[in-house]
Amino acid sequence: MKTYLKLSILFLTFNLYAEFDTKCSILLTKRLQSTEDAYKDALNKINQCSQYDILSVTSFLEMPVSKIYITDIVQTYCMFDHEIITLIDSNTSNLSCVHRGIARSERKFLNQ
């Protein structure tokens, strides 16, 4: 009986670790040492994530800039049939959502 209990606990432990392997963390900060655009770097990292990964984006940029970037990431990469959590703050902004796997294509509007 004790062996069965130990194996059950071990199995549950591996399942819990597996859940945390699906997180894809992205950080948006100002680049002091380079001229690279932090947002382009973040998009490159997001594109390396897999479908159903949990996107976790943390931004230390100014609130108006964070709001634009996080809104764009939500519209481009997040699944709308799963929970999307955002916190836009003057100090730190956060986004958590389920990655859809590929970016939505940008809509092109014709000028009339």
Side-chain angles (χ1 to χ4, degrees):
M1 184 69 172
K2 287 183 181 182
T3 304
Y4 177 74
L5 182 61
K6 287 179 183 178
L7 287 175
S8 297
I9 291 172
L10 183 64
F11 180 72
L12 289 174
T13 303
F14 282 123
N15 281 342
L16 290 175
Y17 283 126
E19 293 296 320
F20 290 107
D21 288 343
T22 61
K23 188 172 181 180
C24 187
S25 297
I26 311 299
L27 188 63
L28 287 166
T29 60
K30 289 184 181 179
R31 303 289 179 168
L32 301 177
Q33 284 81 20
S34 73
T35 58
E36 279 188 49
D37 183 11
Y39 187 63
K40 286 181 185 178
D41 186 45
L43 293 181
N44 288 334
K45 289 178 183 175
I46 291 172
N47 286 327
Q48 294 174 15
C49 299
S50 300
Q51 185 176 16
Y52 301 113
D53 280 356
I54 303 300
L55 290 181
S56 176
V57 179
T58 302
S59 175
F60 293 102
L61 302 174
E62 296 83 16
M63 186 169 41
V65 175
S66 291
K67 189 174 186 178
I68 291 169
Y69 288 167
I70 286 177
T71 301
D72 186 56
I73 292 170
V74 166
Q75 293 174 348
T76 307
Y77 293 100
C78 294
M79 289 184 169
F80 294 138
D81 58 344
H82 290 77
E83 188 170 11
I84 299 171
I85 300 170
T86 59
L87 171 65
I88 310 242
D89 194 307
S90 59
N91 297 320
T92 305
S93 298
N94 297 292
L95 161 69
S96 291
C97 71
V98 178
H99 189 357
R100 64 186 310 269
I102 57 171
R104 286 183 182 84
S105 57
E106 188 176 325
R107 294 180 285 171
K108 306 285 185 199
F109 296 103
L110 298 174
N111 293 333
Q112 296 183 16

